[in-house]
Amino acid sequence: MKDIRTLSLEQLTQYFISLGEKPFRAKQVYDWLWSKNLHSIEEMTNLSKELREKIAQEYTINPITVDELQKSTDGTIKNGVKLHDGLLVESVLIPTETRTTACVSSQVGCSLNCEFCATARLKRMRNLEVAEIVDQVALIDRQSKLYFDRPLSNIVFMGMGEPMMNYKNVVESIKKMTDPTGMGMSPRRITVSTSGIPKMIRMLADENLRVKLAFSLHSAIEKKRNEIMPFSGKFPLTEIMESLQYWYSNTGNPITFEYCVWKNINDTDEDIKALIRFCKQVPSKVNLIQYNPIGDGKYDQCNKEAEENYVRQLEKAGITVLIRRSRGGDIDAACGQLANKSSD
Ligand code: SF4
């Protein structure tokens, strides 16, 4: 049976008209589905019992469920989330003193093949539906209220999958999250993180969504980056930079470069110089992300001196740099680890 959440407001309106109902019923149902995140047609109490039964004969709601929940001593909560067809993705709640961030997945597995990533080992099974993305946000909002007594404040598309490879549903889910009559999230608190597909970056810039963009760079030396992220061989860094400049000129939003520094991979002065040259071409800042190892030993977090060297040289060059400490180190924190385990 079809999930009623695949219908747009217009389609819902047509559906109710076809049932001989008033068009405003569509708005009532839409509100239950997208503003209240209700997962039961039966509980739509402002509809008659008869109408609810009629709808339930044709449509269903396929909510996500939490299959496994891991809590870290630092407050991070990692959810292994089960989809209606039994596939698993991960959704993580990351708390700080002042905010709660939801890290959501956009695909089951991933179409790309970054060497350092646990998700890359799961082949891409399918794209997530709009409702499956929104459900992750609603789930983490509920967990934030339950465990931290405050609503969710930020959303990052940094979970499993490359958001740009599920472009249509990611964009639609952002529209649902930011709809003032729905969840009402501020777009400025939503970050789409991409491994860099120039055409899609340009498309997203044209959407006028007012979200932020993060780009997983990891090396500004072309050859090295192509080894770390083999698919990126198709997209030269100059082409990616042009799309980032297009993003900035269209949205006015600076780019965040996500960057891990790995021992014996990208921890030299030459790497830093290349990064500085890259950053200077577009308004941007750098997030140095501490790496959660995935167990094969090839990629290891660099030592403290190498990290400090990065910070010193970037700051000297006038580039804003933040260190993002690893969270959830005592649980399967690296994206894809939990789902990998379940598929063993
Ligand atoms: S890092 Fe992101 S884009 Fe690369 S394989 Fe992992 S999930 Fe996919």
Side-chain angles (χ1 to χ4, degrees), residues 21-295:
E21 291 286 335
K22 293 269 186 305
F24 75 86
R25 294 285 174 217
K27 264 222 148 55
Q28 287 177 316
V29 170
Y30 199 80
D31 184 51
W32 283 117
L33 297 174
W34 297 110
S35 172
K36 302 193 173 74
N37 194 239
L38 187 77
H39 288 159
S40 152
I41 293 168
E42 211 188 314
E43 286 170 37
M44 297 181 177
T45 45
N46 53 3
L47 308 182
S48 70
K49 194 164 183 294
E50 201 192 345
L51 180 56
R52 280 178 271 160
E53 282 169 2
K54 225 187 256 177
I55 300 169
Q57 279 164 14
E58 277 184 71
Y59 291 103
T60 183
I61 298 176
N62 292 323
I64 60 168
T65 52
V66 177
D67 186 62
E68 184 180 348
L69 185 151
Q70 294 185 342
K71 271 197 208 153
S72 164
T73 48
D74 68 15
T76 302
I77 298 175
K78 183 156 192 163
N79 297 285
V81 158
K82 192 175 259 181
L83 309 173
H84 69 93
D85 52 5
L87 293 172
L88 281 181
V89 292
E90 296 170 0
S91 320
V92 185
L93 178 159
I94 307 161
T96 64
E97 293 254 307
T98 51
R99 54 163 81 164
T100 301
T101 300
C103 178
V104 297
S105 295
S106 54
Q107 297 183 300
V108 186
C110 186
S111 340
L112 307 184
N113 52 0
C114 305
E115 283 224 323
F116 55 87
C117 173
T119 301
R121 293 170 187 187
L122 301 159
K123 66 175 194 311
R124 188 197 79 95
M125 309 288 282
R126 68 171 172 87
N127 287 338
L128 292 197
E129 298 294 336
V130 176
E132 290 169 331
I133 300 172
V134 173
D135 269 358
Q136 294 174 68
V137 172
L139 164 73
I140 292 184
D141 183 45
R142 286 194 296 274
Q143 289 179 335
S144 182
K145 286 171 183 153
L146 179 67
Y147 296 110
F148 300 93
D149 213 14
R150 63 186 185 210
L152 171 71
S153 55
N154 295 69
I155 299 164
V156 293
F157 281 86
M158 289 185 196
M160 294 169 71
E162 162 56 58
M164 299 292 191
M165 301 294 267
N166 184 13
Y167 184 84
K168 201 169 134 273
N169 289 352
V170 165
V171 166
E172 191 51 40
S173 73
I174 292 170
K175 288 182 180 163
K176 292 274 194 286
M177 292 168 202
T178 53
D179 181 352
T181 64
M183 285 177 135
M185 291 287 304
S186 161
R188 303 207 175 283
R189 291 175 174 270
I190 300 177
T191 301
V192 176
S193 173
T194 179
S195 46
I197 303 164
K199 192 174 117 200
M200 310 310 279
I201 293 172
R202 285 170 187 269
M203 261 171 89
L204 193 68
D206 287 337
E207 297 279 354
N208 195 23
L209 290 175
R210 291 178 296 127
V211 294
K212 291 185 180 161
L213 183 71
F215 167 51
S216 298
L217 178 56
H218 304 304
S219 177
I221 299 173
E222 191 98 55
K223 191 167 166 284
K224 201 176 275 195
R225 186 167 192 268
N226 293 347
E227 277 161 26
I228 299 170
M229 306 165 85
F231 74 90
S232 64
K234 285 193 225 144
F235 309 114
L237 279 172
T238 47
E239 210 181 293
I240 295 180
M241 178 48 76
E242 280 164 17
S243 71
L244 296 175
Q245 287 164 336
Y246 182 83
W247 168 273
Y248 181 74
S249 67
N250 252 30
T251 67
N253 267 333
I255 324 289
T256 300
F257 294 128
E258 308 285 357
Y259 200 101
C260 290
V261 187
W262 293 289
K263 192 155 73 188
N264 301 331
I265 302 262
N266 58 352
D267 56 356
T268 67
D269 281 351
E270 195 200 341
D271 293 291
I272 303 175
K273 287 202 179 79
L275 175 58
I276 291 171
R277 278 197 300 276
F278 196 76
C279 290
K280 293 263 180 188
Q281 297 175 61
V282 70
S284 54
K285 66 172 180 174
V286 175
N287 276 354
L288 289 184
I289 302 171
Q290 287 201 322
Y291 181 61
N292 283 310
I294 57 170

